[in-house]
PDB file of all heavy atoms in Angstrom:
ATOM      1  N   VAL C  14       0.864  -1.179   0.000  1.00  0.00           N
ATOM      2  CA  VAL C  14       0.000   0.000   0.000  1.00  0.00           C
ATOM      3  C   VAL C  14       0.901   1.230   0.000  1.00  0.00           C
ATOM      4  O   VAL C  14       2.090   1.135   0.319  1.00  0.00           O
ATOM      5  CB  VAL C  14      -0.965   0.028   1.208  1.00  0.00           C
ATOM      6  CG1 VAL C  14      -1.964  -1.096   1.125  1.00  0.00           C
ATOM      7  CG2 VAL C  14      -0.222  -0.026   2.516  1.00  0.00           C
ATOM      8  N   MET C  15       0.326   2.381  -0.335  1.00  0.00           N
ATOM      9  CA  MET C  15       1.147   3.577  -0.466  1.00  0.00           C
ATOM     10  C   MET C  15       0.346   4.794  -0.004  1.00  0.00           C
ATOM     11  O   MET C  15      -0.860   4.869  -0.211  1.00  0.00           O
ATOM     12  CB  MET C  15       1.543   3.729  -1.939  1.00  0.00           C
ATOM     13  CG  MET C  15       2.234   4.992  -2.278  1.00  0.00           C
ATOM     14  SD  MET C  15       2.803   5.093  -4.009  1.00  0.00           S
ATOM     15  CE  MET C  15       1.406   4.591  -4.950  1.00  0.00           C
ATOM     16  N   THR C  16       1.030   5.720   0.614  1.00  0.00           N
ATOM     17  CA  THR C  16       0.451   7.008   0.970  1.00  0.00           C
ATOM     18  C   THR C  16       1.151   8.063   0.132  1.00  0.00           C
ATOM     19  O   THR C  16       2.369   8.015  -0.030  1.00  0.00           O
ATOM     20  CB  THR C  16       0.672   7.323   2.461  1.00  0.00           C
ATOM     21  OG1 THR C  16       0.012   6.335   3.240  1.00  0.00           O
ATOM     22  CG2 THR C  16       0.147   8.684   2.825  1.00  0.00           C
ATOM     23  N   THR C  17       0.390   8.997  -0.401  1.00  0.00           N
ATOM     24  CA  THR C  17       0.984  10.066  -1.204  1.00  0.00           C
ATOM     25  C   THR C  17       0.541  11.419  -0.683  1.00  0.00           C
ATOM     26  O   THR C  17      -0.475  11.545  -0.012  1.00  0.00           O
ATOM     27  CB  THR C  17       0.584   9.956  -2.689  1.00  0.00           C
ATOM     28  OG1 THR C  17      -0.831  10.118  -2.796  1.00  0.00           O
ATOM     29  CG2 THR C  17       0.991   8.627  -3.273  1.00  0.00           C
ATOM     30  N   ILE C  18       1.313  12.426  -1.015  1.00  0.00           N
ATOM     31  CA  ILE C  18       0.976  13.813  -0.722  1.00  0.00           C
ATOM     32  C   ILE C  18       1.064  14.552  -2.055  1.00  0.00           C
ATOM     33  O   ILE C  18       2.082  14.489  -2.729  1.00  0.00           O
ATOM     34  CB  ILE C  18       1.962  14.444   0.283  1.00  0.00           C
ATOM     35  CG1 ILE C  18       2.010  13.631   1.565  1.00  0.00           C
ATOM     36  CG2 ILE C  18       1.594  15.887   0.567  1.00  0.00           C
ATOM     37  CD1 ILE C  18       3.134  14.042   2.490  1.00  0.00           C
ATOM     38  N   TRP C  19      -0.021  15.228  -2.416  1.00  0.00           N
ATOM     39  CA  TRP C  19      -0.065  15.905  -3.709  1.00  0.00           C
ATOM     40  C   TRP C  19      -0.019  17.418  -3.533  1.00  0.00           C
ATOM     41  O   TRP C  19      -0.641  17.974  -2.664  1.00  0.00           O
ATOM     42  CB  TRP C  19      -1.350  15.532  -4.452  1.00  0.00           C
ATOM     43  CG  TRP C  19      -1.371  14.104  -4.844  1.00  0.00           C
ATOM     44  CD1 TRP C  19      -1.751  13.047  -4.073  1.00  0.00           C
ATOM     45  CD2 TRP C  19      -0.960  13.549  -6.081  1.00  0.00           C
ATOM     46  NE1 TRP C  19      -1.612  11.868  -4.761  1.00  0.00           N
ATOM     47  CE2 TRP C  19      -1.137  12.150  -6.006  1.00  0.00           C
ATOM     48  CE3 TRP C  19      -0.471  14.090  -7.258  1.00  0.00           C
ATOM     49  CZ2 TRP C  19      -0.830  11.299  -7.060  1.00  0.00           C
ATOM     50  CZ3 TRP C  19      -0.173  13.230  -8.304  1.00  0.00           C
ATOM     51  CH2 TRP C  19      -0.348  11.867  -8.204  1.00  0.00           C
ATOM     52  N   GLY C  20       0.728  18.045  -4.383  1.00  0.00           N
ATOM     53  CA  GLY C  20       0.766  19.497  -4.478  1.00  0.00           C
ATOM     54  C   GLY C  20       0.814  19.859  -5.945  1.00  0.00           C
ATOM     55  O   GLY C  20       0.815  18.992  -6.808  1.00  0.00           O
ATOM     56  N   ASP C  21       0.868  21.122  -6.256  1.00  0.00           N
ATOM     57  CA  ASP C  21       1.051  21.522  -7.646  1.00  0.00           C
ATOM     58  C   ASP C  21       2.396  22.208  -7.766  1.00  0.00           C
ATOM     59  O   ASP C  21       3.189  22.211  -6.821  1.00  0.00           O
ATOM     60  CB  ASP C  21      -0.103  22.404  -8.118  1.00  0.00           C
ATOM     61  CG  ASP C  21      -0.213  23.697  -7.325  1.00  0.00           C
ATOM     62  OD1 ASP C  21       0.706  24.005  -6.554  1.00  0.00           O
ATOM     63  OD2 ASP C  21      -1.220  24.393  -7.487  1.00  0.00           O
ATOM     64  N   GLU C  22       2.663  22.801  -8.916  1.00  0.00           N
ATOM     65  CA  GLU C  22       3.977  23.418  -9.104  1.00  0.00           C
ATOM     66  C   GLU C  22       4.252  24.548  -8.115  1.00  0.00           C
ATOM     67  O   GLU C  22       5.391  24.895  -7.863  1.00  0.00           O
ATOM     68  CB  GLU C  22       4.174  23.896 -10.548  1.00  0.00           C
ATOM     69  CG  GLU C  22       3.209  24.954 -11.016  1.00  0.00           C
ATOM     70  CD  GLU C  22       1.846  24.406 -11.420  1.00  0.00           C
ATOM     71  OE1 GLU C  22       1.682  23.220 -11.716  1.00  0.00           O
ATOM     72  OE2 GLU C  22       0.913  25.206 -11.406  1.00  0.00           O
ATOM     73  N   GLY C  23       3.186  25.120  -7.537  1.00  0.00           N
ATOM     74  CA  GLY C  23       3.359  26.154  -6.523  1.00  0.00           C
ATOM     75  C   GLY C  23       3.462  25.575  -5.126  1.00  0.00           C
ATOM     76  O   GLY C  23       3.701  26.278  -4.167  1.00  0.00           O
ATOM     77  N   ASN C  24       3.269  24.270  -4.999  1.00  0.00           N
ATOM     78  CA  ASN C  24       3.327  23.543  -3.731  1.00  0.00           C
ATOM     79  C   ASN C  24       2.518  24.252  -2.656  1.00  0.00           C
ATOM     80  O   ASN C  24       3.023  24.616  -1.611  1.00  0.00           O
ATOM     81  CB  ASN C  24       4.774  23.341  -3.298  1.00  0.00           C
ATOM     82  CG  ASN C  24       4.889  22.203  -2.306  1.00  0.00           C
ATOM     83  OD1 ASN C  24       4.005  21.350  -2.234  1.00  0.00           O
ATOM     84  ND2 ASN C  24       5.950  22.169  -1.545  1.00  0.00           N
ATOM     85  N   GLU C  25       1.219  24.441  -2.952  1.00  0.00           N
ATOM     86  CA  GLU C  25       0.333  25.146  -2.026  1.00  0.00           C
ATOM     87  C   GLU C  25      -0.038  24.326  -0.802  1.00  0.00           C
ATOM     88  O   GLU C  25      -0.664  24.820   0.107  1.00  0.00           O
ATOM     89  CB  GLU C  25      -0.930  25.579  -2.757  1.00  0.00           C
ATOM     90  CG  GLU C  25      -0.634  26.570  -3.857  1.00  0.00           C
ATOM     91  CD  GLU C  25      -1.832  26.857  -4.729  1.00  0.00           C
ATOM     92  OE1 GLU C  25      -2.913  26.314  -4.475  1.00  0.00           O
ATOM     93  OE2 GLU C  25      -1.679  27.643  -5.663  1.00  0.00           O
ATOM     94  N   CYS C  26       0.328  23.082  -0.786  1.00  0.00           N
ATOM     95  CA  CYS C  26      -0.006  22.194   0.330  1.00  0.00           C
ATOM     96  C   CYS C  26       1.089  22.269   1.393  1.00  0.00           C
ATOM     97  O   CYS C  26       2.273  22.195   1.080  1.00  0.00           O
ATOM     98  CB  CYS C  26      -0.128  20.762  -0.185  1.00  0.00           C
ATOM     99  SG  CYS C  26      -0.343  19.533   1.098  1.00  0.00           S
ATOM    100  N   ASP C  27       0.692  22.427   2.615  1.00  0.00           N
ATOM    101  CA  ASP C  27       1.647  22.360   3.719  1.00  0.00           C
ATOM    102  C   ASP C  27       1.927  20.886   3.985  1.00  0.00           C
ATOM    103  O   ASP C  27       1.085  20.171   4.531  1.00  0.00           O
ATOM    104  CB  ASP C  27       1.063  23.031   4.962  1.00  0.00           C
ATOM    105  CG  ASP C  27       1.932  22.852   6.184  1.00  0.00           C
ATOM    106  OD1 ASP C  27       3.135  22.573   6.035  1.00  0.00           O
ATOM    107  OD2 ASP C  27       1.402  22.977   7.291  1.00  0.00           O
ATOM    108  N   ILE C  28       3.092  20.411   3.577  1.00  0.00           N
ATOM    109  CA  ILE C  28       3.381  18.981   3.686  1.00  0.00           C
ATOM    110  C   ILE C  28       3.385  18.497   5.137  1.00  0.00           C
ATOM    111  O   ILE C  28       3.101  17.340   5.398  1.00  0.00           O
ATOM    112  CB  ILE C  28       4.691  18.599   2.981  1.00  0.00           C
ATOM    113  CG1 ILE C  28       5.882  19.336   3.584  1.00  0.00           C
ATOM    114  CG2 ILE C  28       4.594  18.841   1.495  1.00  0.00           C
ATOM    115  CD1 ILE C  28       7.226  18.837   3.079  1.00  0.00           C
ATOM    116  N   TYR C  29       3.653  19.381   6.065  1.00  0.00           N
ATOM    117  CA  TYR C  29       3.674  18.974   7.468  1.00  0.00           C
ATOM    118  C   TYR C  29       2.273  18.643   7.993  1.00  0.00           C
ATOM    119  O   TYR C  29       2.120  17.898   8.947  1.00  0.00           O
ATOM    120  CB  TYR C  29       4.329  20.046   8.337  1.00  0.00           C
ATOM    121  CG  TYR C  29       5.788  20.229   7.988  1.00  0.00           C
ATOM    122  CD1 TYR C  29       6.222  21.350   7.303  1.00  0.00           C
ATOM    123  CD2 TYR C  29       6.719  19.249   8.311  1.00  0.00           C
ATOM    124  CE1 TYR C  29       7.557  21.503   6.960  1.00  0.00           C
ATOM    125  CE2 TYR C  29       8.051  19.393   7.966  1.00  0.00           C
ATOM    126  CZ  TYR C  29       8.465  20.527   7.295  1.00  0.00           C
ATOM    127  OH  TYR C  29       9.770  20.661   6.954  1.00  0.00           O
ATOM    128  N   SER C  30       1.251  19.172   7.328  1.00  0.00           N
ATOM    129  CA  SER C  30      -0.111  18.872   7.751  1.00  0.00           C
ATOM    130  C   SER C  30      -0.475  17.415   7.472  1.00  0.00           C
ATOM    131  O   SER C  30      -1.455  16.906   7.994  1.00  0.00           O
ATOM    132  CB  SER C  30      -1.111  19.798   7.057  1.00  0.00           C
ATOM    133  OG  SER C  30      -1.152  19.534   5.665  1.00  0.00           O
ATOM    134  N   ALA C  31       0.315  16.737   6.654  1.00  0.00           N
ATOM    135  CA  ALA C  31       0.053  15.338   6.327  1.00  0.00           C
ATOM    136  C   ALA C  31       0.659  14.363   7.347  1.00  0.00           C
ATOM    137  O   ALA C  31       0.381  13.165   7.291  1.00  0.00           O
ATOM    138  CB  ALA C  31       0.604  15.016   4.940  1.00  0.00           C
ATOM    139  N   ILE C  32       1.459  14.867   8.264  1.00  0.00           N
ATOM    140  CA  ILE C  32       2.148  13.982   9.209  1.00  0.00           C
ATOM    141  C   ILE C  32       1.188  13.116  10.029  1.00  0.00           C
ATOM    142  O   ILE C  32       1.430  11.910  10.159  1.00  0.00           O
ATOM    143  CB  ILE C  32       3.108  14.783  10.124  1.00  0.00           C
ATOM    144  CG1 ILE C  32       4.228  15.391   9.276  1.00  0.00           C
ATOM    145  CG2 ILE C  32       3.694  13.893  11.212  1.00  0.00           C
ATOM    146  CD1 ILE C  32       5.134  16.329  10.041  1.00  0.00           C
ATOM    147  N   PRO C  33       0.087  13.639  10.581  1.00  0.00           N
ATOM    148  CA  PRO C  33      -0.817  12.757  11.330  1.00  0.00           C
ATOM    149  C   PRO C  33      -1.343  11.596  10.483  1.00  0.00           C
ATOM    150  O   PRO C  33      -1.401  10.455  10.940  1.00  0.00           O
ATOM    151  CB  PRO C  33      -1.951  13.679  11.778  1.00  0.00           C
ATOM    152  CG  PRO C  33      -1.349  15.030  11.812  1.00  0.00           C
ATOM    153  CD  PRO C  33      -0.362  15.042  10.680  1.00  0.00           C
ATOM    154  N   GLY C  34      -1.723  11.891   9.254  1.00  0.00           N
ATOM    155  CA  GLY C  34      -2.223  10.836   8.368  1.00  0.00           C
ATOM    156  C   GLY C  34      -1.160   9.813   8.015  1.00  0.00           C
ATOM    157  O   GLY C  34      -1.434   8.612   7.921  1.00  0.00           O
ATOM    158  N   MET C  35       0.061  10.273   7.820  1.00  0.00           N
ATOM    159  CA  MET C  35       1.156   9.357   7.498  1.00  0.00           C
ATOM    160  C   MET C  35       1.447   8.439   8.684  1.00  0.00           C
ATOM    161  O   MET C  35       1.682   7.243   8.514  1.00  0.00           O
ATOM    162  CB  MET C  35       2.396  10.152   7.091  1.00  0.00           C
ATOM    163  CG  MET C  35       2.199  10.887   5.781  1.00  0.00           C
ATOM    164  SD  MET C  35       3.522  12.034   5.394  1.00  0.00           S
ATOM    165  CE  MET C  35       4.912  10.948   5.242  1.00  0.00           C
ATOM    166  N   LEU C  36       1.432   8.987   9.885  1.00  0.00           N
ATOM    167  CA  LEU C  36       1.665   8.167  11.068  1.00  0.00           C
ATOM    168  C   LEU C  36       0.528   7.172  11.269  1.00  0.00           C
ATOM    169  O   LEU C  36       0.764   6.012  11.617  1.00  0.00           O
ATOM    170  CB  LEU C  36       1.843   9.034  12.311  1.00  0.00           C
ATOM    171  CG  LEU C  36       2.176   8.295  13.603  1.00  0.00           C
ATOM    172  CD1 LEU C  36       3.444   7.459  13.465  1.00  0.00           C
ATOM    173  CD2 LEU C  36       2.304   9.257  14.761  1.00  0.00           C
ATOM    174  N   TYR C  37      -0.713   7.613  11.015  1.00  0.00           N
ATOM    175  CA  TYR C  37      -1.862   6.718  11.114  1.00  0.00           C
ATOM    176  C   TYR C  37      -1.704   5.551  10.131  1.00  0.00           C
ATOM    177  O   TYR C  37      -1.925   4.399  10.487  1.00  0.00           O
ATOM    178  CB  TYR C  37      -3.139   7.501  10.826  1.00  0.00           C
ATOM    179  CG  TYR C  37      -4.401   6.683  10.893  1.00  0.00           C
ATOM    180  CD1 TYR C  37      -4.975   6.368  12.125  1.00  0.00           C
ATOM    181  CD2 TYR C  37      -5.030   6.227   9.743  1.00  0.00           C
ATOM    182  CE1 TYR C  37      -6.139   5.622  12.201  1.00  0.00           C
ATOM    183  CE2 TYR C  37      -6.191   5.478   9.808  1.00  0.00           C
ATOM    184  CZ  TYR C  37      -6.742   5.182  11.034  1.00  0.00           C
ATOM    185  OH  TYR C  37      -7.881   4.443  11.100  1.00  0.00           O
ATOM    186  N   HIS C  38      -1.307   5.848   8.923  1.00  0.00           N
ATOM    187  CA  HIS C  38      -1.071   4.818   7.908  1.00  0.00           C
ATOM    188  C   HIS C  38       0.020   3.848   8.372  1.00  0.00           C
ATOM    189  O   HIS C  38      -0.125   2.630   8.269  1.00  0.00           O
ATOM    190  CB  HIS C  38      -0.670   5.489   6.591  1.00  0.00           C
ATOM    191  CG  HIS C  38      -0.374   4.555   5.488  1.00  0.00           C
ATOM    192  ND1 HIS C  38      -1.298   4.188   4.557  1.00  0.00           N
ATOM    193  CD2 HIS C  38       0.761   3.897   5.167  1.00  0.00           C
ATOM    194  CE1 HIS C  38      -0.755   3.349   3.704  1.00  0.00           C
ATOM    195  NE2 HIS C  38       0.495   3.165   4.055  1.00  0.00           N
ATOM    196  N   ALA C  39       1.107   4.378   8.892  1.00  0.00           N
ATOM    197  CA  ALA C  39       2.206   3.544   9.374  1.00  0.00           C
ATOM    198  C   ALA C  39       1.768   2.647  10.533  1.00  0.00           C
ATOM    199  O   ALA C  39       2.145   1.475  10.594  1.00  0.00           O
ATOM    200  CB  ALA C  39       3.385   4.416   9.798  1.00  0.00           C
ATOM    201  N   GLU C  40       0.970   3.199  11.437  1.00  0.00           N
ATOM    202  CA  GLU C  40       0.488   2.394  12.564  1.00  0.00           C
ATOM    203  C   GLU C  40      -0.347   1.218  12.068  1.00  0.00           C
ATOM    204  O   GLU C  40      -0.249   0.118  12.604  1.00  0.00           O
ATOM    205  CB  GLU C  40      -0.332   3.258  13.523  1.00  0.00           C
ATOM    206  CG  GLU C  40       0.501   4.164  14.394  1.00  0.00           C
ATOM    207  CD  GLU C  40       1.438   3.383  15.312  1.00  0.00           C
ATOM    208  OE1 GLU C  40       0.966   2.575  16.123  1.00  0.00           O
ATOM    209  OE2 GLU C  40       2.652   3.582  15.184  1.00  0.00           O
ATOM    210  N   HIS C  41      -1.162   1.435  11.058  1.00  0.00           N
ATOM    211  CA  HIS C  41      -1.930   0.336  10.474  1.00  0.00           C
ATOM    212  C   HIS C  41      -1.000  -0.734   9.896  1.00  0.00           C
ATOM    213  O   HIS C  41      -1.275  -1.919   9.992  1.00  0.00           O
ATOM    214  CB  HIS C  41      -2.859   0.844   9.373  1.00  0.00           C
ATOM    215  CG  HIS C  41      -4.264   1.039   9.818  1.00  0.00           C
ATOM    216  ND1 HIS C  41      -5.078   0.005  10.228  1.00  0.00           N
ATOM    217  CD2 HIS C  41      -5.013   2.165   9.910  1.00  0.00           C
ATOM    218  CE1 HIS C  41      -6.259   0.486  10.551  1.00  0.00           C
ATOM    219  NE2 HIS C  41      -6.250   1.790  10.381  1.00  0.00           N
ATOM    220  N   ALA C  42       0.082  -0.280   9.306  1.00  0.00           N
ATOM    221  CA  ALA C  42       1.018  -1.222   8.670  1.00  0.00           C
ATOM    222  C   ALA C  42       1.709  -2.119   9.693  1.00  0.00           C
ATOM    223  O   ALA C  42       2.113  -3.232   9.356  1.00  0.00           O
ATOM    224  CB  ALA C  42       2.057  -0.454   7.860  1.00  0.00           C
ATOM    225  N   TYR C  43       1.838  -1.644  10.925  1.00  0.00           N
ATOM    226  CA  TYR C  43       2.575  -2.399  11.925  1.00  0.00           C
ATOM    227  C   TYR C  43       1.694  -3.082  12.963  1.00  0.00           C
ATOM    228  O   TYR C  43       2.186  -3.514  14.000  1.00  0.00           O
ATOM    229  CB  TYR C  43       3.603  -1.504  12.625  1.00  0.00           C
ATOM    230  CG  TYR C  43       4.737  -1.145  11.706  1.00  0.00           C
ATOM    231  CD1 TYR C  43       4.802   0.099  11.095  1.00  0.00           C
ATOM    232  CD2 TYR C  43       5.727  -2.072  11.419  1.00  0.00           C
ATOM    233  CE1 TYR C  43       5.834   0.419  10.240  1.00  0.00           C
ATOM    234  CE2 TYR C  43       6.765  -1.763  10.569  1.00  0.00           C
ATOM    235  CZ  TYR C  43       6.815  -0.519   9.977  1.00  0.00           C
ATOM    236  OH  TYR C  43       7.835  -0.213   9.116  1.00  0.00           O
ATOM    237  N   THR C  44       0.396  -3.178  12.688  1.00  0.00           N
ATOM    238  CA  THR C  44      -0.489  -3.908  13.591  1.00  0.00           C
ATOM    239  C   THR C  44      -1.425  -4.788  12.779  1.00  0.00           C
ATOM    240  O   THR C  44      -1.802  -4.444  11.673  1.00  0.00           O
ATOM    241  CB  THR C  44      -1.308  -2.966  14.499  1.00  0.00           C
ATOM    242  OG1 THR C  44      -2.104  -3.749  15.385  1.00  0.00           O
ATOM    243  CG2 THR C  44      -2.207  -2.040  13.712  1.00  0.00           C
ATOM    244  N   ARG C  45      -1.786  -5.909  13.336  1.00  0.00           N
ATOM    245  CA  ARG C  45      -2.744  -6.793  12.675  1.00  0.00           C
ATOM    246  C   ARG C  45      -4.182  -6.443  13.051  1.00  0.00           C
ATOM    247  O   ARG C  45      -5.121  -6.930  12.455  1.00  0.00           O
ATOM    248  CB  ARG C  45      -2.464  -8.247  13.058  1.00  0.00           C
ATOM    249  CG  ARG C  45      -1.143  -8.758  12.541  1.00  0.00           C
ATOM    250  CD  ARG C  45      -0.988 -10.234  12.879  1.00  0.00           C
ATOM    251  NE  ARG C  45       0.334 -10.711  12.568  1.00  0.00           N
ATOM    252  CZ  ARG C  45       0.662 -11.266  11.402  1.00  0.00           C
ATOM    253  NH1 ARG C  45      -0.230 -11.384  10.465  1.00  0.00           N
ATOM    254  NH2 ARG C  45       1.888 -11.684  11.198  1.00  0.00           N
ATOM    255  N   GLN C  46      -4.337  -5.588  14.052  1.00  0.00           N
ATOM    256  CA  GLN C  46      -5.672  -5.195  14.496  1.00  0.00           C
ATOM    257  C   GLN C  46      -6.351  -4.323  13.442  1.00  0.00           C
ATOM    258  O   GLN C  46      -5.694  -3.648  12.643  1.00  0.00           O
ATOM    259  CB  GLN C  46      -5.578  -4.436  15.818  1.00  0.00           C
ATOM    260  CG  GLN C  46      -4.989  -5.260  16.934  1.00  0.00           C
ATOM    261  CD  GLN C  46      -4.712  -4.433  18.177  1.00  0.00           C
ATOM    262  OE1 GLN C  46      -4.761  -3.220  18.146  1.00  0.00           O
ATOM    263  NE2 GLN C  46      -4.411  -5.114  19.265  1.00  0.00           N
ATOM    264  N   ASP C  47      -7.691  -4.338  13.449  1.00  0.00           N
ATOM    265  CA  ASP C  47      -8.440  -3.529  12.494  1.00  0.00           C
ATOM    266  C   ASP C  47      -8.355  -2.043  12.795  1.00  0.00           C
ATOM    267  O   ASP C  47      -8.444  -1.219  11.898  1.00  0.00           O
ATOM    268  CB  ASP C  47      -9.918  -3.940  12.479  1.00  0.00           C
ATOM    269  CG  ASP C  47     -10.152  -5.223  11.713  1.00  0.00           C
ATOM    270  OD1 ASP C  47      -9.270  -5.633  10.936  1.00  0.00           O
ATOM    271  OD2 ASP C  47     -11.232  -5.818  11.899  1.00  0.00           O
ATOM    272  N   GLU C  48      -8.211  -1.703  14.055  1.00  0.00           N
ATOM    273  CA  GLU C  48      -8.168  -0.296  14.448  1.00  0.00           C
ATOM    274  C   GLU C  48      -6.823   0.050  15.074  1.00  0.00           C
ATOM    275  O   GLU C  48      -6.191  -0.779  15.718  1.00  0.00           O
ATOM    276  CB  GLU C  48      -9.288   0.025  15.440  1.00  0.00           C
ATOM    277  CG  GLU C  48     -10.677  -0.062  14.848  1.00  0.00           C
ATOM    278  CD  GLU C  48     -10.920   0.958  13.759  1.00  0.00           C
ATOM    279  OE1 GLU C  48     -10.328   2.063  13.803  1.00  0.00           O
ATOM    280  OE2 GLU C  48     -11.696   0.656  12.841  1.00  0.00           O
ATOM    281  N   VAL C  49      -6.427   1.294  14.897  1.00  0.00           N
ATOM    282  CA  VAL C  49      -5.195   1.810  15.484  1.00  0.00           C
ATOM    283  C   VAL C  49      -5.497   2.274  16.901  1.00  0.00           C
ATOM    284  O   VAL C  49      -6.547   2.865  17.162  1.00  0.00           O
ATOM    285  CB  VAL C  49      -4.665   2.982  14.632  1.00  0.00           C
ATOM    286  CG1 VAL C  49      -3.573   3.744  15.339  1.00  0.00           C
ATOM    287  CG2 VAL C  49      -4.192   2.474  13.283  1.00  0.00           C
ATOM    288  N   ASN C  50      -4.591   2.027  17.822  1.00  0.00           N
ATOM    289  CA  ASN C  50      -4.712   2.510  19.186  1.00  0.00           C
ATOM    290  C   ASN C  50      -4.434   4.015  19.168  1.00  0.00           C
ATOM    291  O   ASN C  50      -3.291   4.446  19.050  1.00  0.00           O
ATOM    292  CB  ASN C  50      -3.714   1.772  20.081  1.00  0.00           C
ATOM    293  CG  ASN C  50      -3.754   2.227  21.517  1.00  0.00           C
ATOM    294  OD1 ASN C  50      -4.091   3.359  21.836  1.00  0.00           O
ATOM    295  ND2 ASN C  50      -3.372   1.321  22.405  1.00  0.00           N
ATOM    296  N   THR C  51      -5.490   4.827  19.256  1.00  0.00           N
ATOM    297  CA  THR C  51      -5.322   6.272  19.114  1.00  0.00           C
ATOM    298  C   THR C  51      -4.563   6.912  20.279  1.00  0.00           C
ATOM    299  O   THR C  51      -3.887   7.919  20.084  1.00  0.00           O
ATOM    300  CB  THR C  51      -6.679   6.969  18.925  1.00  0.00           C
ATOM    301  OG1 THR C  51      -7.543   6.627  20.008  1.00  0.00           O
ATOM    302  CG2 THR C  51      -7.316   6.564  17.609  1.00  0.00           C
ATOM    303  N   THR C  52      -4.644   6.324  21.434  1.00  0.00           N
ATOM    304  CA  THR C  52      -3.871   6.844  22.568  1.00  0.00           C
ATOM    305  C   THR C  52      -2.381   6.693  22.285  1.00  0.00           C
ATOM    306  O   THR C  52      -1.603   7.642  22.458  1.00  0.00           O
ATOM    307  CB  THR C  52      -4.241   6.106  23.874  1.00  0.00           C
ATOM    308  OG1 THR C  52      -5.633   6.273  24.114  1.00  0.00           O
ATOM    309  CG2 THR C  52      -3.445   6.645  25.054  1.00  0.00           C
ATOM    310  N   LEU C  53      -2.001   5.529  21.819  1.00  0.00           N
ATOM    311  CA  LEU C  53      -0.600   5.279  21.467  1.00  0.00           C
ATOM    312  C   LEU C  53      -0.188   6.129  20.263  1.00  0.00           C
ATOM    313  O   LEU C  53       0.925   6.657  20.224  1.00  0.00           O
ATOM    314  CB  LEU C  53      -0.390   3.793  21.173  1.00  0.00           C
ATOM    315  CG  LEU C  53       1.028   3.332  20.906  1.00  0.00           C
ATOM    316  CD1 LEU C  53       1.951   3.672  22.069  1.00  0.00           C
ATOM    317  CD2 LEU C  53       1.043   1.830  20.643  1.00  0.00           C
ATOM    318  N   LEU C  54      -1.080   6.284  19.300  1.00  0.00           N
ATOM    319  CA  LEU C  54      -0.806   7.113  18.122  1.00  0.00           C
ATOM    320  C   LEU C  54      -0.474   8.541  18.541  1.00  0.00           C
ATOM    321  O   LEU C  54       0.501   9.127  18.067  1.00  0.00           O
ATOM    322  CB  LEU C  54      -2.014   7.100  17.186  1.00  0.00           C
ATOM    323  CG  LEU C  54      -1.935   7.978  15.947  1.00  0.00           C
ATOM    324  CD1 LEU C  54      -0.973   7.371  14.938  1.00  0.00           C
ATOM    325  CD2 LEU C  54      -3.304   8.151  15.329  1.00  0.00           C
ATOM    326  N   ARG C  55      -1.274   9.098  19.444  1.00  0.00           N
ATOM    327  CA  ARG C  55      -1.032  10.465  19.915  1.00  0.00           C
ATOM    328  C   ARG C  55       0.317  10.575  20.639  1.00  0.00           C
ATOM    329  O   ARG C  55       1.066  11.525  20.429  1.00  0.00           O
ATOM    330  CB  ARG C  55      -2.150  10.910  20.846  1.00  0.00           C
ATOM    331  CG  ARG C  55      -3.407  11.307  20.147  1.00  0.00           C
ATOM    332  CD  ARG C  55      -4.480  11.739  21.164  1.00  0.00           C
ATOM    333  NE  ARG C  55      -5.634  12.279  20.495  1.00  0.00           N
ATOM    334  CZ  ARG C  55      -6.623  11.542  20.013  1.00  0.00           C
ATOM    335  NH1 ARG C  55      -6.605  10.225  20.131  1.00  0.00           N
ATOM    336  NH2 ARG C  55      -7.641  12.115  19.409  1.00  0.00           N
TER     337      ARG C  55
END
């Protein structure tokens, strides 16, 4: 699976705003459970 961050040539997206989503994705990758432990995620 893959996570992407999209911007345009002006890079109007704040890439740091994607960090929570990227960490959430990574947590899913490292657990067999259906849900991520949000306390641990935080």
Side-chain angles (χ1 to χ4, degrees):
V14 294
M15 172 176 48
T16 298
T17 63
I18 303 169
W19 293 84
D21 62 11
E22 62 280 340
N24 201 21
E25 296 171 2
C26 173
D27 173 21
I28 60 171
Y29 295 107
S30 67
I32 295 173
M35 293 171 63
L36 183 57
Y37 180 79
H38 179 95
E40 284 298 301
H41 261 295
Y43 290 102
T44 182
R45 294 184 188 268
Q46 299 171 349
D47 283 343
E48 293 296 330
V49 168
N50 179 332
T51 55
T52 301
L53 185 57
L54 176 73
R55 283 180 173 84

